[in-house]
Amino acid sequence: MTSRFHTATFVAKAAVSCSVSILALGGLLYWLSGSEPAAEDIATEILKASPEVIATLKTDLMTSEYEAVGAVPTEIISEDHIATDIERLVTVSPGDTLMSLLVAAGATRTEAHGAINALSSVYSPRKIRPGLDIALTFAPPVEIIAEEEESRDVGPLMAMQFQPSVERIVKVSSTEGESNNYIAEEIERPLTMKTGYSAGIIDSSLYLAATESNVPNDILISLIRAYSYDVDFQREIQTGDRFEVVYEAYYDEDGNLAKTGEMIYGSLSLSGTDMKLYHFTPASGFTDYFNSKGQTAKKALMRTPIDGARLSSGFGKRKHPVLGYTKMHKGVDFAAPRGTPIYAAGDGVILRASPYSSYGNYVKIRHHSGYETAYAHMNGFAKGISKSKRVRQGQVIGYVGTTGRSTGPHLHYEVLLNNKQVNPLGVKLPAGEKLAKSDLKKFESVKKDIDKMIKKLSEPAAIASITP
């Protein structure tokens, strides 16, 4: 097809129009000067014409026959437009592979393969988990020349970046001037550890009071777990009770809280009784929380093997919600959202992990000293949970559900002593480790240092608490 910018008609029309415009301008200059100019003078006067005259002439050219025949190329109109890189953010979903994500976002399989190979030198693609955000950078789209090539709305993949942890950024970039070649690097984010402190008065629940006092969620969970052996958070927390917590807090270069570390100290004042716990590692190497006398907070069994649940039904006789008549309830029920993790109440061996009658999905664990625990109506079992497997206290064994004879998502929890069900919230549980000799002496020294630190940290908090 012949370009309209190079036809004989276009050249002739352009020449005529240009000649007419130049002659018109020459005539205008002659009329203004009142004398007959020479041909070379006309040319000189044209070159010396004012910007206003030039602009008028240019406008005349743009709106005359040039535009009608297409003599003003569109490239001139859009010459200031600069193509920019294209940024896309993708989120890993269950079942995704990195290859499928990159290709779906616009990369070719060759580009994706090159980027993944480079990534493997610093980070295993197998470690990528659902929920991770990956930022992709593509070059602007390029014109497809070969008919067999497929068109796409982006150019070549230039970079891929994600943050697998608060301390690491992984970046893959294309090698300059080399197609489909990539290099990978890890960028360490420096974090600064500071001591965090929070305290507050409980009005309705520990969770709400801690949230209002800006206690990080991970620290709140640590606080609840540390006290879960001795405190029934449904019945023993009263209005006016107090809490206090000291923890490790890590901040990034911008001063933002990036992550939390260990809970160093926790305190609950329940109905006037102070319960203090100190973070300590004895010679055995197993870190735990100990009270002021060096007695571990951990008991042989947890009273509440689930986080953030509501006690929906206690131990004893009750009207059965499904059967409709009074029946002995030989455990306690904790209402919680479907999928909430359920923990092993203590170290032991699994006796059963399967559907079981009206209990639905059911796990039973044998502990020492004649104790057993049972967990019913579970939505499913955690990976690796099966009969004869050993579990540790606090290990996830399953998830809240409503299988079996159930009216809604909850955990039915039983404690058995010598094959007889007992009230999990009332039974006296065997105590854990008590420090002795050198461990106790070392603990006293650590406790003294923590007490001094708390006194210093609590001063500004105490002032803030009485400020309107």
Side-chain angles (χ1 to χ4, degrees):
M1 180 173 146
T2 306
S3 170
R4 61 182 179 180
F5 296 109
H6 299 92
T7 61
T9 302
F10 166 75
V11 173
K13 288 184 177 181
V16 171
S17 298
C18 183
S19 299
V20 171
S21 298
I22 292 174
L23 289 173
L25 179 59
L28 175 62
L29 294 174
Y30 170 73
W31 177 76
L32 290 174
S33 64
S35 60
E36 186 178 19
E40 59 270 19
D41 293 334
I42 293 175
T44 303
E45 291 297 335
I46 291 175
L47 294 175
K48 293 181 179 180
S50 68
E52 290 79 6
V53 174
I54 296 297
T56 302
L57 176 60
K58 188 174 182 180
T59 300
D60 178 63
L61 293 174
M62 290 285 288
T63 56
S64 64
E65 193 174 0
Y66 286 91
E67 184 176 6
V69 299
V72 181
T74 56
E75 287 78 9
I76 295 177
I77 298 174
S78 60
E79 63 184 1
D80 292 333
H81 175 71
I82 301 175
T84 58
D85 295 340
I86 298 172
E87 305 285 345
R88 288 183 175 173
L89 184 69
V90 296
T91 302
V92 181
S93 299
D96 283 342
T97 64
L98 188 53
M99 173 65 79
S100 66
L101 275 175
L102 295 179
V103 171
T108 65
R109 295 190 69 85
T110 302
E111 292 166 355
H113 182 71
I116 293 171
N117 273 351
L119 172 66
S120 301
S121 65
V122 298
Y123 189 84
S124 172
R126 294 179 179 275
K127 293 182 180 179
I128 292 177
R129 294 289 180 263
L132 180 68
D133 291 329
I134 303 177
L136 303 175
T137 303
F138 293 90
V142 295
E143 183 179 355
I144 301 300
I145 300 176
E147 293 183 0
E148 62 273 12
E149 293 186 34
E150 294 184 6
S151 63
R152 53 176 179 164
D153 59 352
V154 294
L157 176 65
M158 297 176 63
M160 170 175 67
Q161 180 173 303
F162 58 89
Q163 188 171 341
S165 71
V166 296
E167 298 165 290
R168 299 172 66 197
I169 296 175
V170 176
K171 185 175 182 180
V172 177
S173 306
S174 60
T175 305
E176 188 174 354
E178 296 186 42
S179 178
N180 302 327
N181 287 332
Y182 298 87
I183 56 173
E185 61 178 328
E186 272 190 306
I187 304 170
E188 297 292 333
R189 296 182 66 210
L191 300 180
T192 302
M193 199 280 279
K194 298 181 180 179
T195 303
Y197 173 85
S198 298
I201 299 175
I202 301 171
D203 291 326
S204 57
S205 72
L206 174 60
Y207 175 80
L208 290 176
T211 301
E212 291 172 359
S213 298
N214 299 316
V215 177
N217 192 56
D218 288 345
I219 298 302
L220 176 57
I221 291 175
S222 295
L223 182 69
I224 292 173
R225 285 182 180 173
Y227 283 97
S228 65
Y229 303 95
D230 293 305
V231 177
D232 177 359
F233 288 97
Q234 301 297 323
R235 297 188 299 177
E236 295 184 40
I237 299 293
Q238 305 293 330
T239 299
D241 288 343
R242 302 179 64 90
F243 79 91
E244 190 175 34
V245 63
V246 177
Y247 55 93
E248 297 171 338
Y250 292 85
Y251 294 85
D252 62 21
E253 293 173 300
D254 298 323
N256 300 314
L257 180 64
K259 70 172 186 176
T260 56
E262 298 289 348
M263 183 182 81
I264 300 171
Y265 165 85
S267 174
L268 287 179
S269 180
L270 306 180
S271 301
T273 302
D274 291 333
M275 305 172 65
K276 299 180 179 181
L277 293 178
Y278 299 84
H279 183 267
F280 178 70
T281 305
S284 64
F286 294 100
T287 302
D288 207 342
Y289 293 99
F290 296 82
N291 63 19
S292 299
K293 297 180 179 179
Q295 178 75 52
T296 179
K298 185 179 290 185
K299 301 293 189 295
L301 298 176
M302 299 168 65
R303 294 188 187 276
T304 54
I306 187 171
D307 291 330
R310 174 179 60 85
L311 180 66
S312 56
S313 184
F315 185 90
K317 289 187 177 182
R318 64 163 187 175
K319 184 177 180 180
H320 197 281
V322 176
L323 300 177
Y325 57 82
T326 300
K327 189 174 184 293
M328 185 66 180
H329 189 226
K330 298 181 180 181
V332 293
D333 291 346
F334 295 101
R338 188 191 305 269
T340 301
I342 299 169
Y343 307 110
D347 297 348
V349 177
I350 297 176
L351 299 177
R352 176 192 287 268
S354 63
Y356 179 46
S357 185
S358 60
Y359 284 111
N361 290 331
Y362 175 89
V363 170
K364 190 174 187 180
I365 303 174
R366 182 180 68 241
H367 310 281
H368 64 78
S369 303
Y371 285 92
E372 295 175 348
T373 55
Y375 316 78
H377 307 306
M378 302 165 73
N379 185 56
F381 308 103
K383 185 177 180 179
I385 297 301
S386 60
K387 183 178 179 181
S388 302
K389 291 287 186 179
R390 283 197 156 274
V391 291
R392 298 300 303 269
Q393 188 174 63
Q395 179 179 338
V396 176
I397 58 172
Y399 306 92
V400 170
T402 184
T403 56
R405 189 182 295 155
S406 169
T407 58
H410 73 285
L411 166 66
H412 174 79
Y413 175 54
E414 295 181 359
V415 174
L416 299 88
L417 179 58
N418 298 325
N419 296 318
K420 181 180 180 181
Q421 284 100 339
V422 294
N423 186 354
L425 304 181
V427 64
K428 183 176 177 60
L429 300 175
E433 176 186 7
K434 184 172 183 179
L435 299 174
K437 298 180 181 180
S438 60
D439 276 339
L440 184 59
K441 185 176 180 180
K442 183 180 177 182
F443 170 75
E444 291 290 349
S445 176
V446 171
K447 174 180 172 296
K448 187 177 180 179
D449 291 340
I450 292 176
D451 287 338
K452 287 181 179 179
M453 178 175 58
I454 294 168
K455 185 177 180 180
K456 183 177 180 180
L457 291 170
S458 63
E459 290 175 358
I463 295 174
S465 66
I466 60 174
T467 302

